[in-house]
Amino acid sequence: MYKPKIIFVDDEPQVLSGLRRALHGRRHEWEMLFFEDPIEALKTLEQNFFDILVSDMQMPEMSGLDLIKKVSAQQTGTACILLSGYTEKKVVVNSVNLVNQALLKPMDSAAVIAAIEKCLAVSNLPKTIRCKLISVGSLPGAPLADEELTKISKNPKARQSEIDRKSTRLNSSHQIISYAV
């Protein structure tokens, strides 16, 4: 039986330790690797296919977003989950086309498990639909994009083009999810 492969990257050892403990019960279902160094993780990702990459946003050697960009260019089937501190929320919203799920730190184990399960559910879809879901960042970013759209639309100084762009992206995401399900 196939075990999905998941790689976790975070430069904070205590975060990785917490993830290991929280996901220990899933070790019979998922093959999991944990890295503190994004460069080492990238080397592993270049040599092996992983179903899911879970990465911190801010790391000293390479940002999580840069790591996700490199992996996405090489492995179109790898779903990406971005972990970010609250202060980086705007960066997460702007990365909606690259990530499938975005979780704000601190996050509980149930949120991480739910994000992984959502990504795995999509991995069973036909490749054409899965790639469309990944390319629009629909799974993840929709709640964050919706929140950002609400903020922008309430701002009287917001440009209409910005509101239209975010609204179109959100609507596309919802249409693809509806079609896929």
Side-chain angles (χ1 to χ4, degrees):
M1 182 175 175
Y2 178 74
K3 286 172 63 170
K5 293 171 69 176
I6 306 167
I7 189 165
F8 296 86
V9 186
D10 198 311
D11 63 316
E12 297 179 49
Q14 65 274 20
V15 171
L16 287 179
S17 178
L19 285 168
R20 270 192 193 100
R21 279 192 312 276
L23 300 172
H24 182 75
R26 300 291 181 127
R27 71 188 182 288
H28 300 294
E29 298 171 51
W30 305 333
E31 184 178 326
M32 298 175 275
L33 293 178
F34 299 83
F35 289 88
E36 289 179 34
D37 182 353
I39 306 297
E40 289 300 314
L42 184 59
K43 288 177 187 175
T44 300
L45 283 156
E46 288 171 344
Q47 296 172 3
N48 303 285
F49 175 79
F50 282 82
D51 297 282
I52 301 174
L53 163 63
V54 180
S55 178
D56 183 27
M57 176 61 191
Q58 254 187 341
M59 297 179 283
E61 297 86 7
M62 174 190 303
S63 79
L65 207 48
D66 287 339
L67 177 62
I68 287 169
K69 285 177 187 176
K70 290 178 189 243
V71 171
S72 295
Q74 296 171 1
Q75 298 187 21
T76 57
T78 299
C80 300
I81 299 173
L82 186 64
L83 309 177
S84 177
Y86 191 78
T87 58
E88 302 160 39
K89 192 170 186 178
K90 183 173 179 148
V91 174
V92 175
V93 170
N94 291 334
S95 68
V96 72
N97 287 331
L98 293 171
V99 301
N100 300 94
Q101 294 283 310
L103 300 176
L104 299 176
K105 286 182 172 182
M107 69 278 175
D108 61 21
S109 60
V112 175
I113 291 169
I116 290 170
E117 287 177 342
K118 284 180 186 178
C119 289
L120 290 174
V122 172
S123 71
N124 294 330
L125 294 173
K127 186 175 182 180
T128 54
I129 295 173
R130 185 178 68 238
C131 288
K132 284 181 183 180
L133 285 170
I134 289 172
S135 71
V136 296
S138 58
L139 284 176
L144 289 175
D146 191 28
E147 184 178 324
E148 186 70 10
L149 180 61
T150 302
K151 284 181 188 175
I152 290 171
S153 65
K154 290 180 181 178
N155 180 354
K157 294 181 182 179
R159 295 183 312 209
Q160 187 61 44
S161 61
E162 186 177 11
I163 294 170
D164 292 344
R165 186 172 38 85
K166 290 204 186 263
S167 179
T168 299
R169 182 182 298 157
L170 185 62
N171 287 335
S172 296
S173 297
H174 289 301
Q175 287 171 358
I176 290 171
I177 288 172
S178 298
Y179 173 74
V181 175

